[in-house]
Amino acid sequence: KIQENILMIVSLDIDEIKQHLGKIKRDMCEEGLRMEIASHDVYKIKQALEKTKQVMCEEGLRIETASHDIYKIRQVLEKIKQERREEGQRSKIVIQDIDKLKQDLEKIKRERCEECQCNELDQCVGVSMDRVRVLNASWNDPAKYEFYSPERVLNSDPSKFWMTKGRFDEWVSFDLGECCKLHGVSLLWAHGENAVRWRLDVSNAEHGPWNIAKIFTGTFEQFPRNIQFHLDKPVATRYVRLFFMEARSIVVKVVQLLFI
């Protein structure tokens, strides 16, 4: 009986051991499954990391390429900027050269006109007064005062005249019709109303600038009613102006320009 009891106990222990081993086996199977799943997850993670690494490499390459392109663009922009600076400098130089050339040409033109060497002057061998016309005057209101009209001074009739308004710096200008060699002017004054201080201005442009050819001064006795005023040397000009520099009424009856 004791032996039967021992066998029964052993049998019970074996069953418990079997149950315990079965449980251990199940636990190991579950653990193996979890390890397999974990291994699979690690593989997937490795794949994801590899892909991320590849993407980062490609992105880094793109960034490097973009950086290189930006550097090249900066170089191109700097080159363009430098070229524009040089172009601007060249433009300034060209403008300065053009201005200097204009000044030189204007100077040459004045000198040649003064020396009567230009083509225009070669054709000026004497101009008739018929071609001369009054250009303008400081006092000109023929509609209100017909006898003040400056055109009257080109008429040989001494009964007609032009009179200043009695102010400083009054004038009358003439257009000769072409460039001429002028050497003086003949004036017929009204008695006691002649100028004692005036000048003869010349220009090759309708509105100036005017150059003083000569200043004439004297007294009433020195300047009779009809007198010729001569320049020191002939002057080539297209426009002539009589400029009176005294504040008194001056009556000019006849103006005769003297040409070579």
Side-chain angles (χ1 to χ4, degrees):
K1 189 174 183 178
I2 292 171
Q3 188 175 2
E4 290 178 356
N5 289 335
I6 292 170
L7 289 172
M8 185 176 62
I9 292 169
V10 171
S11 177
L12 290 173
D13 291 338
I14 291 172
D15 290 336
E16 288 180 0
I17 291 169
K18 286 182 178 180
Q19 290 178 353
H20 185 64
L21 290 174
K23 185 178 179 182
I24 291 173
K25 184 176 180 181
R26 286 195 302 275
D27 291 341
M28 288 181 68
C29 288
E30 292 175 0
E31 186 66 27
L33 181 60
R34 282 198 297 273
M35 289 180 67
E36 185 177 352
I37 293 171
S39 176
H40 181 68
D41 291 341
V42 169
Y43 176 73
K44 289 179 68 177
I45 290 170
K46 284 183 177 180
Q47 282 186 323
L49 289 174
E50 189 67 28
K51 185 176 180 181
T52 303
K53 183 178 179 182
Q54 184 177 359
V55 170
M56 290 180 70
C57 290
E58 293 176 355
E59 188 66 26
L61 182 61
R62 283 195 296 270
I63 291 173
E64 184 178 354
T65 303
S67 177
H68 181 69
D69 292 341
I70 291 172
Y71 175 74
K72 289 180 67 177
I73 291 171
R74 284 180 178 174
Q75 283 185 320
V76 172
L77 290 176
E78 189 63 30
K79 184 178 179 181
I80 293 172
K81 187 177 179 181
Q82 182 67 24
E83 289 176 351
R84 287 188 174 180
R85 278 200 297 265
E86 293 175 356
E87 186 67 28
Q89 194 67 27
R90 285 195 295 270
S91 299
K92 289 181 180 179
I93 294 173
V94 170
I95 291 173
Q96 291 174 354
D97 291 342
I98 290 174
D99 291 339
K100 189 175 184 302
L101 183 60
K102 286 181 178 178
Q103 291 176 351
D104 293 341
L105 289 174
E106 190 64 28
K107 182 178 179 182
I108 291 171
K109 183 178 179 181
R110 287 197 303 269
E111 290 175 351
R112 295 186 68 186
C113 286
E114 290 174 358
E115 297 173 0
C116 300
Q117 293 177 350
C118 64
N119 293 332
E120 292 181 353
L121 299 180
D122 292 340
Q123 300 172 3
C124 295
V125 293
V127 176
S128 171
M129 280 295 296
D130 295 336
R131 301 188 61 176
V132 178
R133 66 180 181 88
V134 172
L135 187 63
N136 206 342
S138 57
W139 171 236
N140 182 9
D141 193 359
K144 189 175 182 180
Y145 303 103
E146 182 180 354
F147 56 89
Y148 286 161
S149 175
E151 283 79 6
R152 299 163 71 94
V153 300
L154 296 179
N155 195 315
S156 59
D157 184 358
S159 64
K160 299 179 181 180
F161 57 88
W162 173 71
M163 184 173 69
T164 67
K165 204 174 182 181
R167 300 176 298 187
F168 282 104
D169 300 340
E170 296 197 67
W171 50 269
V172 57
S173 59
F174 303 91
D175 180 6
L176 308 184
E178 59 182 329
C179 188
C180 306
K181 295 177 183 179
L182 180 74
H183 71 89
V185 59
S186 175
L187 298 176
L188 176 62
W189 315 98
H191 179 68
E193 295 183 287
N194 59 294
V196 294
R197 180 174 171 78
W198 64 284
R199 71 174 190 250
L200 189 64
D201 297 337
V202 295
S203 176
N204 284 313
E206 182 176 342
H207 302 289
W210 294 93
N211 299 313
I212 300 175
K214 190 172 182 179
I215 296 176
F216 300 93
T217 58
T219 64
F220 292 118
E221 292 76 17
Q222 290 175 321
F223 287 173
R225 292 182 60 191
N226 190 6
I227 188 172
Q228 290 187 356
F229 298 91
H230 295 280
L231 301 177
D232 297 333
K233 63 177 182 178
V235 175
T237 185
R238 164 73 185 269
Y239 302 96
V240 178
R241 182 173 69 174
L242 306 182
F243 195 94
F244 304 102
M245 300 179 288
E246 50 189 320
R248 59 186 301 273
S249 294
I250 300 168
V251 178
V252 182
K253 291 189 172 184
V254 180
V255 175
Q256 182 76 29
L257 298 172
L258 306 177
F259 307 108
I260 294 178

